[in-house]
PDB file of all heavy atoms in Angstrom:
ATOM      1  N   SER A   1      10.524  66.043-187.334  1.00  0.00           N
ATOM      2  CA  SER A   1      11.569  67.037-187.095  1.00  0.00           C
ATOM      3  C   SER A   1      10.971  68.352-186.636  1.00  0.00           C
ATOM      4  O   SER A   1       9.808  68.653-186.915  1.00  0.00           O
ATOM      5  CB  SER A   1      12.386  67.273-188.378  1.00  0.00           C
ATOM      6  OG  SER A   1      12.946  66.079-188.856  1.00  0.00           O
ATOM      7  N   VAL A   2      11.780  69.128-185.930  1.00  0.00           N
ATOM      8  CA  VAL A   2      11.374  70.459-185.505  1.00  0.00           C
ATOM      9  C   VAL A   2      12.592  71.365-185.552  1.00  0.00           C
ATOM     10  O   VAL A   2      13.720  70.930-185.279  1.00  0.00           O
ATOM     11  CB  VAL A   2      10.763  70.437-184.084  1.00  0.00           C
ATOM     12  CG1 VAL A   2      11.792  70.033-183.037  1.00  0.00           C
ATOM     13  CG2 VAL A   2      10.145  71.779-183.738  1.00  0.00           C
ATOM     14  N   ASP A   3      12.370  72.621-185.922  1.00  0.00           N
ATOM     15  CA  ASP A   3      13.456  73.597-185.973  1.00  0.00           C
ATOM     16  C   ASP A   3      13.537  74.368-184.664  1.00  0.00           C
ATOM     17  O   ASP A   3      12.525  74.912-184.187  1.00  0.00           O
ATOM     18  CB  ASP A   3      13.250  74.583-187.115  1.00  0.00           C
ATOM     19  CG  ASP A   3      13.574  73.997-188.472  1.00  0.00           C
ATOM     20  OD1 ASP A   3      14.057  72.839-188.533  1.00  0.00           O
ATOM     21  OD2 ASP A   3      13.346  74.683-189.487  1.00  0.00           O
ATOM     22  N   VAL A   4      14.728  74.412-184.096  1.00  0.00           N
ATOM     23  CA  VAL A   4      15.014  75.271-182.947  1.00  0.00           C
ATOM     24  C   VAL A   4      15.875  76.411-183.479  1.00  0.00           C
ATOM     25  O   VAL A   4      16.996  76.192-183.952  1.00  0.00           O
ATOM     26  CB  VAL A   4      15.757  74.503-181.833  1.00  0.00           C
ATOM     27  CG1 VAL A   4      16.079  75.438-180.674  1.00  0.00           C
ATOM     28  CG2 VAL A   4      14.929  73.313-181.357  1.00  0.00           C
ATOM     29  N   VAL A   5      15.339  77.621-183.444  1.00  0.00           N
ATOM     30  CA  VAL A   5      16.015  78.780-184.033  1.00  0.00           C
ATOM     31  C   VAL A   5      16.755  79.525-182.928  1.00  0.00           C
ATOM     32  O   VAL A   5      16.181  79.835-181.875  1.00  0.00           O
ATOM     33  CB  VAL A   5      15.013  79.707-184.742  1.00  0.00           C
ATOM     34  CG1 VAL A   5      15.729  80.873-185.410  1.00  0.00           C
ATOM     35  CG2 VAL A   5      14.209  78.918-185.777  1.00  0.00           C
ATOM     36  N   VAL A   6      18.030  79.780-183.167  1.00  0.00           N
ATOM     37  CA  VAL A   6      18.915  80.315-182.130  1.00  0.00           C
ATOM     38  C   VAL A   6      19.638  81.546-182.656  1.00  0.00           C
ATOM     39  O   VAL A   6      20.219  81.516-183.754  1.00  0.00           O
ATOM     40  CB  VAL A   6      19.953  79.252-181.697  1.00  0.00           C
ATOM     41  CG1 VAL A   6      20.772  79.769-180.507  1.00  0.00           C
ATOM     42  CG2 VAL A   6      19.278  77.932-181.330  1.00  0.00           C
ATOM     43  N   ASP A   7      19.624  82.622-181.880  1.00  0.00           N
ATOM     44  CA  ASP A   7      20.430  83.799-182.200  1.00  0.00           C
ATOM     45  C   ASP A   7      21.785  83.671-181.513  1.00  0.00           C
ATOM     46  O   ASP A   7      21.857  83.474-180.295  1.00  0.00           O
ATOM     47  CB  ASP A   7      19.728  85.078-181.738  1.00  0.00           C
ATOM     48  CG  ASP A   7      18.606  85.493-182.681  1.00  0.00           C
ATOM     49  OD1 ASP A   7      18.674  85.163-183.878  1.00  0.00           O
ATOM     50  OD2 ASP A   7      17.642  86.142-182.208  1.00  0.00           O
ATOM     51  N   VAL A   8      22.841  83.756-182.304  1.00  0.00           N
ATOM     52  CA  VAL A   8      24.213  83.674-181.806  1.00  0.00           C
ATOM     53  C   VAL A   8      24.932  84.959-182.225  1.00  0.00           C
ATOM     54  O   VAL A   8      24.415  85.724-183.036  1.00  0.00           O
ATOM     55  CB  VAL A   8      24.929  82.417-182.351  1.00  0.00           C
ATOM     56  CG1 VAL A   8      24.106  81.162-182.057  1.00  0.00           C
ATOM     57  CG2 VAL A   8      25.192  82.522-183.849  1.00  0.00           C
ATOM     58  N   PRO A   9      26.120  85.251-181.708  1.00  0.00           N
ATOM     59  CA  PRO A   9      26.769  86.519-182.054  1.00  0.00           C
ATOM     60  C   PRO A   9      27.016  86.727-183.538  1.00  0.00           C
ATOM     61  O   PRO A   9      27.058  87.870-184.005  1.00  0.00           O
ATOM     62  CB  PRO A   9      28.081  86.446-181.268  1.00  0.00           C
ATOM     63  CG  PRO A   9      27.739  85.628-180.067  1.00  0.00           C
ATOM     64  CD  PRO A   9      26.804  84.568-180.591  1.00  0.00           C
ATOM     65  N   SER A  10      27.168  85.637-184.310  1.00  0.00           N
ATOM     66  CA  SER A  10      27.418  85.785-185.747  1.00  0.00           C
ATOM     67  C   SER A  10      26.143  85.836-186.572  1.00  0.00           C
ATOM     68  O   SER A  10      26.207  86.028-187.800  1.00  0.00           O
ATOM     69  CB  SER A  10      28.303  84.641-186.246  1.00  0.00           C
ATOM     70  OG  SER A  10      27.712  83.388-185.965  1.00  0.00           O
ATOM     71  N   GLY A  11      24.968  85.681-185.942  1.00  0.00           N
ATOM     72  CA  GLY A  11      23.723  85.747-186.690  1.00  0.00           C
ATOM     73  C   GLY A  11      22.696  84.754-186.195  1.00  0.00           C
ATOM     74  O   GLY A  11      22.779  84.243-185.079  1.00  0.00           O
ATOM     75  N   ARG A  12      21.714  84.475-187.026  1.00  0.00           N
ATOM     76  CA  ARG A  12      20.628  83.552-186.680  1.00  0.00           C
ATOM     77  C   ARG A  12      20.885  82.196-187.336  1.00  0.00           C
ATOM     78  O   ARG A  12      21.102  82.110-188.545  1.00  0.00           O
ATOM     79  CB  ARG A  12      19.285  84.114-187.128  1.00  0.00           C
ATOM     80  CG  ARG A  12      18.093  83.235-186.817  1.00  0.00           C
ATOM     81  CD  ARG A  12      16.803  84.033-186.852  1.00  0.00           C
ATOM     82  NE  ARG A  12      16.720  84.940-185.706  1.00  0.00           N
ATOM     83  CZ  ARG A  12      15.747  85.835-185.511  1.00  0.00           C
ATOM     84  NH1 ARG A  12      14.771  85.958-186.411  1.00  0.00           N
ATOM     85  NH2 ARG A  12      15.734  86.614-184.444  1.00  0.00           N
ATOM     86  N   VAL A  13      20.873  81.140-186.517  1.00  0.00           N
ATOM     87  CA  VAL A  13      21.147  79.790-187.003  1.00  0.00           C
ATOM     88  C   VAL A  13      19.999  78.884-186.589  1.00  0.00           C
ATOM     89  O   VAL A  13      19.139  79.255-185.771  1.00  0.00           O
ATOM     90  CB  VAL A  13      22.490  79.255-186.466  1.00  0.00           C
ATOM     91  CG1 VAL A  13      23.644  80.162-186.904  1.00  0.00           C
ATOM     92  CG2 VAL A  13      22.470  79.129-184.943  1.00  0.00           C
ATOM     93  N   THR A  14      20.005  77.661-187.137  1.00  0.00           N
ATOM     94  CA  THR A  14      18.939  76.708-186.858  1.00  0.00           C
ATOM     95  C   THR A  14      19.525  75.371-186.422  1.00  0.00           C
ATOM     96  O   THR A  14      20.482  74.885-187.025  1.00  0.00           O
ATOM     97  CB  THR A  14      18.059  76.489-188.103  1.00  0.00           C
ATOM     98  OG1 THR A  14      17.440  77.731-188.461  1.00  0.00           O
ATOM     99  CG2 THR A  14      16.977  75.447-187.842  1.00  0.00           C
ATOM    100  N   ALA A  15      18.935  74.792-185.386  1.00  0.00           N
ATOM    101  CA  ALA A  15      19.197  73.410-185.005  1.00  0.00           C
ATOM    102  C   ALA A  15      17.948  72.617-185.374  1.00  0.00           C
ATOM    103  O   ALA A  15      16.903  72.759-184.721  1.00  0.00           O
ATOM    104  CB  ALA A  15      19.498  73.294-183.521  1.00  0.00           C
ATOM    105  N   ARG A  16      18.044  71.819-186.422  1.00  0.00           N
ATOM    106  CA  ARG A  16      16.900  71.013-186.868  1.00  0.00           C
ATOM    107  C   ARG A  16      16.983  69.652-186.180  1.00  0.00           C
ATOM    108  O   ARG A  16      17.861  68.848-186.470  1.00  0.00           O
ATOM    109  CB  ARG A  16      16.895  70.882-188.391  1.00  0.00           C
ATOM    110  CG  ARG A  16      15.716  70.092-188.944  1.00  0.00           C
ATOM    111  CD  ARG A  16      15.548  70.334-190.442  1.00  0.00           C
ATOM    112  NE  ARG A  16      15.244  71.732-190.709  1.00  0.00           N
ATOM    113  CZ  ARG A  16      15.963  72.529-191.507  1.00  0.00           C
ATOM    114  NH1 ARG A  16      17.014  72.053-192.144  1.00  0.00           N
ATOM    115  NH2 ARG A  16      15.601  73.791-191.689  1.00  0.00           N
ATOM    116  N   VAL A  17      16.066  69.418-185.258  1.00  0.00           N
ATOM    117  CA  VAL A  17      16.120  68.232-184.406  1.00  0.00           C
ATOM    118  C   VAL A  17      15.258  67.130-185.019  1.00  0.00           C
ATOM    119  O   VAL A  17      14.059  67.320-185.242  1.00  0.00           O
ATOM    120  CB  VAL A  17      15.632  68.572-182.985  1.00  0.00           C
ATOM    121  CG1 VAL A  17      15.723  67.344-182.079  1.00  0.00           C
ATOM    122  CG2 VAL A  17      16.458  69.724-182.405  1.00  0.00           C
ATOM    123  N   HIS A  18      15.873  65.989-185.274  1.00  0.00           N
ATOM    124  CA  HIS A  18      15.186  64.847-185.872  1.00  0.00           C
ATOM    125  C   HIS A  18      14.853  63.824-184.791  1.00  0.00           C
ATOM    126  O   HIS A  18      15.709  63.472-183.965  1.00  0.00           O
ATOM    127  CB  HIS A  18      16.060  64.201-186.944  1.00  0.00           C
ATOM    128  CG  HIS A  18      16.435  65.130-188.056  1.00  0.00           C
ATOM    129  ND1 HIS A  18      15.545  65.515-189.034  1.00  0.00           N
ATOM    130  CD2 HIS A  18      17.595  65.779-188.328  1.00  0.00           C
ATOM    131  CE1 HIS A  18      16.137  66.345-189.872  1.00  0.00           C
ATOM    132  NE2 HIS A  18      17.385  66.525-189.467  1.00  0.00           N
ATOM    133  N   ARG A  19      13.600  63.342-184.816  1.00  0.00           N
ATOM    134  CA  ARG A  19      13.097  62.457-183.765  1.00  0.00           C
ATOM    135  C   ARG A  19      12.568  61.158-184.362  1.00  0.00           C
ATOM    136  O   ARG A  19      12.039  61.138-185.480  1.00  0.00           O
ATOM    137  CB  ARG A  19      11.964  63.152-183.021  1.00  0.00           C
ATOM    138  CG  ARG A  19      12.310  64.558-182.511  1.00  0.00           C
ATOM    139  CD  ARG A  19      12.797  64.513-181.108  1.00  0.00           C
ATOM    140  NE  ARG A  19      11.710  64.155-180.207  1.00  0.00           N
ATOM    141  CZ  ARG A  19      11.887  63.806-178.937  1.00  0.00           C
ATOM    142  NH1 ARG A  19      13.096  63.754-178.420  1.00  0.00           N
ATOM    143  NH2 ARG A  19      10.852  63.497-178.181  1.00  0.00           N
ATOM    144  N   ALA A  20      12.707  60.079-183.604  1.00  0.00           N
ATOM    145  CA  ALA A  20      12.160  58.780-183.996  1.00  0.00           C
ATOM    146  C   ALA A  20      11.859  57.988-182.727  1.00  0.00           C
ATOM    147  O   ALA A  20      12.714  57.878-181.849  1.00  0.00           O
ATOM    148  CB  ALA A  20      13.135  58.005-184.878  1.00  0.00           C
ATOM    149  N   GLY A  21      10.638  57.507-182.621  1.00  0.00           N
ATOM    150  CA  GLY A  21      10.262  56.738-181.446  1.00  0.00           C
ATOM    151  C   GLY A  21      10.369  57.507-180.147  1.00  0.00           C
ATOM    152  O   GLY A  21      10.660  56.935-179.086  1.00  0.00           O
ATOM    153  N   GLY A  22      10.131  58.805-180.221  1.00  0.00           N
ATOM    154  CA  GLY A  22      10.176  59.629-179.013  1.00  0.00           C
ATOM    155  C   GLY A  22      11.573  60.021-178.573  1.00  0.00           C
ATOM    156  O   GLY A  22      11.741  60.606-177.501  1.00  0.00           O
ATOM    157  N   ARG A  23      12.585  59.753-179.398  1.00  0.00           N
ATOM    158  CA  ARG A  23      13.966  60.086-179.049  1.00  0.00           C
ATOM    159  C   ARG A  23      14.571  60.972-180.132  1.00  0.00           C
ATOM    160  O   ARG A  23      14.259  60.847-181.317  1.00  0.00           O
ATOM    161  CB  ARG A  23      14.822  58.826-178.912  1.00  0.00           C
ATOM    162  CG  ARG A  23      14.461  57.939-177.740  1.00  0.00           C
ATOM    163  CD  ARG A  23      15.362  56.709-177.698  1.00  0.00           C
ATOM    164  NE  ARG A  23      16.777  57.081-177.643  1.00  0.00           N
ATOM    165  CZ  ARG A  23      17.419  57.361-176.516  1.00  0.00           C
ATOM    166  NH1 ARG A  23      16.778  57.309-175.351  1.00  0.00           N
ATOM    167  NH2 ARG A  23      18.701  57.689-176.532  1.00  0.00           N
ATOM    168  N   THR A  24      15.470  61.855-179.715  1.00  0.00           N
ATOM    169  CA  THR A  24      16.253  62.621-180.673  1.00  0.00           C
ATOM    170  C   THR A  24      17.338  61.721-181.236  1.00  0.00           C
ATOM    171  O   THR A  24      18.088  61.089-180.487  1.00  0.00           O
ATOM    172  CB  THR A  24      16.881  63.852-179.997  1.00  0.00           C
ATOM    173  OG1 THR A  24      15.832  64.724-179.547  1.00  0.00           O
ATOM    174  CG2 THR A  24      17.775  64.614-180.968  1.00  0.00           C
ATOM    175  N   VAL A  25      17.421  61.659-182.570  1.00  0.00           N
ATOM    176  CA  VAL A  25      18.379  60.748-183.204  1.00  0.00           C
ATOM    177  C   VAL A  25      19.449  61.494-184.008  1.00  0.00           C
ATOM    178  O   VAL A  25      20.488  60.910-184.336  1.00  0.00           O
ATOM    179  CB  VAL A  25      17.655  59.734-184.106  1.00  0.00           C
ATOM    180  CG1 VAL A  25      16.776  58.806-183.270  1.00  0.00           C
ATOM    181  CG2 VAL A  25      16.815  60.439-185.176  1.00  0.00           C
ATOM    182  N   ALA A  26      19.225  62.758-184.321  1.00  0.00           N
ATOM    183  CA  ALA A  26      20.207  63.553-185.051  1.00  0.00           C
ATOM    184  C   ALA A  26      19.786  65.014-184.995  1.00  0.00           C
ATOM    185  O   ALA A  26      18.605  65.331-184.798  1.00  0.00           O
ATOM    186  CB  ALA A  26      20.335  63.105-186.513  1.00  0.00           C
ATOM    187  N   VAL A  27      20.757  65.900-185.153  1.00  0.00           N
ATOM    188  CA  VAL A  27      20.488  67.336-185.196  1.00  0.00           C
ATOM    189  C   VAL A  27      21.303  67.941-186.331  1.00  0.00           C
ATOM    190  O   VAL A  27      22.522  67.713-186.430  1.00  0.00           O
ATOM    191  CB  VAL A  27      20.854  68.032-183.871  1.00  0.00           C
ATOM    192  CG1 VAL A  27      20.518  69.529-183.946  1.00  0.00           C
ATOM    193  CG2 VAL A  27      20.140  67.390-182.686  1.00  0.00           C
ATOM    194  N   ASP A  28      20.611  68.699-187.202  1.00  0.00           N
ATOM    195  CA  ASP A  28      21.289  69.465-188.249  1.00  0.00           C
ATOM    196  C   ASP A  28      21.556  70.878-187.738  1.00  0.00           C
ATOM    197  O   ASP A  28      20.651  71.532-187.214  1.00  0.00           O
ATOM    198  CB  ASP A  28      20.423  69.588-189.512  1.00  0.00           C
ATOM    199  CG  ASP A  28      20.050  68.259-190.123  1.00  0.00           C
ATOM    200  OD1 ASP A  28      20.829  67.303-189.972  1.00  0.00           O
ATOM    201  OD2 ASP A  28      18.973  68.192-190.757  1.00  0.00           O
ATOM    202  N   PHE A  29      22.763  71.338-187.909  1.00  0.00           N
ATOM    203  CA  PHE A  29      23.132  72.717-187.628  1.00  0.00           C
ATOM    204  C   PHE A  29      23.200  73.456-188.960  1.00  0.00           C
ATOM    205  O   PHE A  29      24.062  73.174-189.792  1.00  0.00           O
ATOM    206  CB  PHE A  29      24.483  72.742-186.899  1.00  0.00           C
ATOM    207  CG  PHE A  29      25.212  74.061-186.922  1.00  0.00           C
ATOM    208  CD1 PHE A  29      24.580  75.239-186.549  1.00  0.00           C
ATOM    209  CD2 PHE A  29      26.551  74.123-187.289  1.00  0.00           C
ATOM    210  CE1 PHE A  29      25.255  76.452-186.558  1.00  0.00           C
ATOM    211  CE2 PHE A  29      27.236  75.324-187.297  1.00  0.00           C
ATOM    212  CZ  PHE A  29      26.593  76.484-186.935  1.00  0.00           C
TER     213      PHE A  29
END
């Protein structure tokens, strides 16, 4: 997994990208 940190108008949020076999399989917001 890797965290993608994003600034949006309401504040700072995270998209936690989960990977398996070289593919993205899920993302936590």
